[in-house]
Every structure is written in C-alpha cells, then in structure tokens.
C-alpha cells in the first residue's frame, strides 16, 4: 500500500497533478552541517556587503564599471581592451566551479550560491521569526484571512523589502563604486534616473525571487542543475541514501518483515528546501544542502543506531554499505579541470606581470627620416620627428614626462614634445609629436639608439606620489 506521504516521481516535487505550484514549508533542522552552513552563510553575507568597500592599495577589491569599461578584480586593474586577462579571470572562475563540482557535486548550490545564501540564511529566518515554525506557517497560509494574518504578512514583506533594498544597493556598488553610490544616495533620484531605475528593478527582482519564487529558481530557471551530470563522474561526492543499509524501510502493514535502518519517518523530506525525497536517488532538484543528513542523523542517534544512513558518498560507493569515511577522490574530470585551471592561472599571472599601467609607442613620422639646419656657429643640428601614442591604463590621472640620461644630454640631445597635456586622465589615449634635436656630431655613422624613459607621476591617497617608469628605444638617424 502506497504511503500518502510519498513524493511523486513522475513530475516536479513542487507541482501537483495539474501543474499548480505546491508551496514548500521546510522544517528547521540542527546538526553539524547546519551549524557549518550557518557560519559560512554569515561569512558570505558579510563578504558580499563589505567587499565593495575594501580596497587593495588605491584600487577597489571588486569593481565592474561597465559604462566606463574599467574593471578591478582582486585589486588588479583591467580595461575592456584587456580581453586576455579578463578571459583568464572569468574562465578561471568557471573552471574552479567545474573542478569543485567534479569532486563535491552540487556543493556550490547548497553552500555558497547567493540564491541559497539569502533565501535560507536571511529570508527564511525572517519568515520563521515573524510567522513561526513550518507547521505554523502552513496553518497560517491555509487559514482564513484575519487581522493577525494580515499583520504578519505585512510585517514579513516590509522586512523583505528592507533587506532587498540593502542587497540591491550593495549589488550596485560593485558596478559604480562605493563613493559614487554614497553620492547617489544623498542626492535626488532625478539626478541619477538610470541608476535609480536599475536599483528599483533589482530590488523588485530580489524581493520576488527570494521572497516568493525561491526554490523554483533552482528547479526551473537555473541551468546549473541540468548540466551538473556532465561535470560529475562516479567519484564525485553527492548527498546519497544508503539503500543497502536502509532497505527495506519500516512498514507497519508488512508483518514479520526484517526492516532496514530507515524507519520511514519522512523527516528527510520535511526538511528538504526543494521538497524531494533523497531516498529516490540523486536528483536534479537536490542542491546538496545536507539538511536531510542532519535530520536523518538525529533520528538515528535517538534510536540508538549508527548515523550516516544519508551522507556524502560517491556513485562508486553506493553499490555497497557506506563503510568508508568521507574521502573525495579525483576522477578523470577533476584531474582534467585542475590541469586546465592551472594553465589559466599561469596565463593570468603572465598577463598581469607583463601588463603596463602606461602604454607608450613611438612611431617615426611619415616623410623625410630627418631634417637638418645649420646654426650660426657652423654646427649642423638634426631633427627626428616621432609620433607618440600614450595610453593611461591606470585608474587615476598621470603626469607623463620623457627623460634621457645625462650622457646623452651632454652630447647635446634634447627632447621636445608638442601638444603636451598637463595631465593624462585615466583610460585616455593621447597622441602627440615628439622631436628629438641633436647635433650631427652626437651620432656616429648617421645612426644611434637613444634609450628614453617614459615616467608617469600619479598622486594617490595612501602612497603619496606613485612613480611608473619604463624604457623605450628610439632609433636616431642623420647625415653621415
């Protein structure tokens, strides 16, 4: 005889026979995994809120200024044209997720995904504080419309709105910077209509997603659960039920049956945030939140049985009793992802090492390679004309100077630059003419290589004056 509490396996667990949504009221659970997740969720929420305010030197820890096409990731400066570095950064993040999935399965979803962090760690906490425990919430929703029900619903959604505003403003800080955000908050929305509309839109999306849509996003909208099977292999650790030990489940209708350890209490189902029955095997809806592990372990301990009926295990271990300790193993996919990830790290390191805050390119001007004039004292003075292309790739303005060594100055070599800006703004590219003036006697056989130092001076808040310098070579030509 089928148990009425059994979860349907022919449709989504959050939908009935007609496709209508079935609201889930996950029960609270305690245990070692719940405690670890609470600590991690607290850390992640704090990190999310504080990260835009952290600076490494003069640069924000994270800044994604899309309109101005400039980015700061872990304090490293990028511009939109720095495609190789951005490729290594975002490719490395994706490969890190693939690598973690290949070892620990969908641990990202249950432990670190913003959807889970804010829904489980913030919004459900508010809901439980206002409306009570799972059974109380269910009775409140199914009960008649009373003054108490209206008051609790309004209080809950008002708190949801406040939290959503905090999250949306913190989210915008990642794209405009904290200084600009603080200015926007103090001024009228009419002065920043685009940013205000974006903030309002994000607030509404967060409010509806975290407050109402919830697990539906993980089940319906998020593509990660659908391609996780491609990233995993038989060695990947997942939340699994020990069928060898647990079956046959306790069934009071079967007399004389030798039961397994599973007492069929359905507590693992009641605590699941997506409403699945983990005893039906690994499922797309499972986000590896480990709530069922803590719930089952609590039942096993109270009954004097060994915990671990539901636990982390790999498919390779599922054919026998879970007697081996939790030990992630590197499968073929994990090894492949780690190798490719290492290449991305090497590529990013090389790109950062060779990245220059100021680009300078000297190109000889079109036309005669040199010109000469005869001075009153009879000496011949030679001019070489170059086109200088300067690009300030730092996030602050620079005062750029061109210098040559004392040795060349004593030979009479001079640098003359026309169309010179007093200050080169961040991200700006400037082109100007550079004349090199020297006596004919300064170069031998009509040719010489002149080392020229490009020096940028930048005023910073913490370091005072910051110097950026590098050397280029100019090929001087003149008459024999």
């Amino acid at each position: 005889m089928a148990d009425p509490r059994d979860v349907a396996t022919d449709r989504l667990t959050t939908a009935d026979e007609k496709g209508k949504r079935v609201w889930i009221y996950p029960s609270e659970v305690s245990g070692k995994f719940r405690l670890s997740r609470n600590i991690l969720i607290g850390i992640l929420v704090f990190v999310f809120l504080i990260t835009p305010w952290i600076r490494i030197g003069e640069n924000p820890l994270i800044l994604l200024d899309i309109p101005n096409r400039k980015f700061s990731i872990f304090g490293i400066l990028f511009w939109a044209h720095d495609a190789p570095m951005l490729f290594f950064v975002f490719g490395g993040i994706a490969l890190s997720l693939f690598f973690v999935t290949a070892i620990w399965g969908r641990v990202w979803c249950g432990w670190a995904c913003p959807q889970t962090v804010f829904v489980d760690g913030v919004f459900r906490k508010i809901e439980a504080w206002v409306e009570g425990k799972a059974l109380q919430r269910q009775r409140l929703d199914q009960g008649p419309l009373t003054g108490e029900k209206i008051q609790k619903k309004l209080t809950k959604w008002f708190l949801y709105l406040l939290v959503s505003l905090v999250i949306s403003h913190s989210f915008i800080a990642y794209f405009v910077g904290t200084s600009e955000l603080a200015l926007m908050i103090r001024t009228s929305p009419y002065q920043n209509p685009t940013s205000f509309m974006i903030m309002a839109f994000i607030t509404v999306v967060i409010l509806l997603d975290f407050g109402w849509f919830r697990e539906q996003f993980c089940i319906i909208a998020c593509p990660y659960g659908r391609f996780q099977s491609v990233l995993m292999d038989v060695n990947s650790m997942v939340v699994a039920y020990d069928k060898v030990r647990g079956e046959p489940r306790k069934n009071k209708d079967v007399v004389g049956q030798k039961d397994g350890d599973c007492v069929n209490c359905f507590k693992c189902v009641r605590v699941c945030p997506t409403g699945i029955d983990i005893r039906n095997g690994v499922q797309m809806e499972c986000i590896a939140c480990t709530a069922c592990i803590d719930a089952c372990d609590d039942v096993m301990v109270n009954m004097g049985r060994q915990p671990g009926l539901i636990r982390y295990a790999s498919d390779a271990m599922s054919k026998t009793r879970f007697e081996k300790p939790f030990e992630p193993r590197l499968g073929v996919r994990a090894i492949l992802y780690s190798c490719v990830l290492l290449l991305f790290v090497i590529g990013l390191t090389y790109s950062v090492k060779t990245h220059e805050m100021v680009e300078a390119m000297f190109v000889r001007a079109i036309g005669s390679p040199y010109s000469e004039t005869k001075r009153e004292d009879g000496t011949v003075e030679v001019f070489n004309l170059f086109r200088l292309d300067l690009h300030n790739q730092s996030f602050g303005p620079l005062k750029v100077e061109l210098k040559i060594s004392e040795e060349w100055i004593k030979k009479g070599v001079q640098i003359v630059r026309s169309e010179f800006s007093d200050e080169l703004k961040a991200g700006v590219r400037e082109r100007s003419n550079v004349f090199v003036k020297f006596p004919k006697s300064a170069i031998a056989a009509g040719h010489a290589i002149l080392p020229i130092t490009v020096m940028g001076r930048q005023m910073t808040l913490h370091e005072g004056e910051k110097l950026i310098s590098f050397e280029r070579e100019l090929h001087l030509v003149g008459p024999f």
Side-chain angles (χ1 to χ4, degrees), residues 193-441:
T194 302
S195 297
F196 179 78
M197 292 301 295
I198 292 174
M199 181 279 298
F201 175 76
I202 293 174
T203 301
V204 172
V205 170
I206 290 174
L207 183 64
L208 293 177
D209 181 22
F210 295 168
W212 176 76
F213 202 52
R214 295 188 174 178
E215 77 284 341
Q216 299 297 299
F217 178 85
C218 304
I219 297 173
I220 300 173
C222 182
Y224 180 53
R226 289 168 171 77
F227 66 74
Q228 65 172 327
S229 59
V230 179
L231 305 175
M232 296 163 57
D233 57 25
V234 295
N235 293 303
S236 301
M237 307 300 289
V238 295
V239 175
Y241 166 66
D242 188 346
K243 288 187 176 181
V244 176
R245 172 184 162 188
E247 300 295 329
R249 305 172 196 174
K250 185 175 182 180
N251 191 339
K252 61 182 180 181
D253 296 327
V254 180
V255 180
Q257 173 181 278
K258 184 180 180 181
D259 298 328
D261 280 0
C262 179
V263 296
N264 218 21
C265 63
F266 281 85
K267 192 173 182 180
C268 57
V269 179
R270 294 200 303 271
V271 301
C272 180
T274 58
I276 68 169
D277 189 339
I278 194 64
R279 297 172 297 176
N280 293 333
V282 179
Q283 300 158 67
M284 181 198 71
E285 296 93 335
C286 178
I287 60 172
C289 68
T290 65
C292 56
I293 298 180
D294 283 329
C296 187
D297 282 352
D298 184 56
V299 173
M300 291 296 104
V301 170
N302 290 335
M303 295 187 63
R305 298 179 183 179
Q306 182 182 0
L309 181 60
I310 301 175
R311 56 161 290 175
Y312 268 112
S314 66
D315 186 60
M317 299 166 58
S318 64
K319 304 297 188 296
T320 59
R321 290 175 63 93
F322 298 165
E323 296 174 348
K324 296 182 179 179
F326 168 57
E327 48 176 24
R329 295 182 179 180
L330 290 180
V332 176
R333 286 182 174 86
I335 294 173
L336 177 61
Y337 295 146
S338 62
C339 292
V340 179
L341 179 60
L342 179 61
L343 293 178
F344 271 70
V345 172
I346 294 173
L348 177 61
T349 303
Y350 175 79
S351 298
V352 171
K353 288 290 184 181
T354 57
H355 182 66
E356 295 179 338
M357 289 293 99
V358 180
E359 278 188 349
M361 181 179 296
F362 291 88
V363 180
R364 187 173 297 278
I366 299 174
S368 177
Y370 66 89
S371 60
E372 55 183 311
T373 60
K374 194 170 185 180
R375 301 178 63 178
E376 294 180 357
D377 59 2
T379 60
V380 176
E381 198 168 53
V382 183
F383 293 86
N384 279 196
L385 174 60
F386 297 89
R387 292 286 295 178
L388 171 59
D389 189 343
L390 272 178
H391 187 195
N392 181 7
Q393 299 193 99
S394 69
F395 276 12
L398 283 172
K399 291 185 176 181
V400 181
E401 303 174 45
L402 304 178
K403 290 190 174 184
I404 57 176
S405 65
E406 287 293 329
E407 175 188 354
W408 287 94
I409 293 176
K410 290 178 180 179
K411 292 181 181 181
V413 179
Q414 298 179 39
I415 301 294
V416 182
R417 182 180 175 188
S418 64
E419 306 168 19
F420 180 75
S421 299
D422 292 336
E423 196 172 68
L424 186 61
K425 295 182 179 180
V428 170
R429 186 183 296 274
E430 182 182 274
R431 294 179 176 87
S432 61
N433 293 323
V434 174
F435 290 90
V436 181
K437 182 174 67 173
F438 54 91
K440 178 182 177 182
S441 59

Side-chain angles (χ1 to χ4, degrees), residues 107-120:
V107 67
W108 159 262
C109 295
W111 290 72
C113 176
Q115 179 80 11
T116 302
V117 167
F118 285 105
V119 170
D120 197 37

Side-chain angles (χ1 to χ4, degrees), residues 1 11 16 20 36 46 106 123 128 151 166 193 202 255 316 318 324 331 348 376 412 478:
M1 182 177 179
R11 61 177 183 270
D16 60 16
K20 185 179 179 181
S36 299
F46 176 77
R106 209 172 171 179
F123 281 72
Q151 180 264 326
V166 172
I202 293 174
V255 180
S318 64
K324 296 182 179 179
L348 177 61
E376 294 180 357

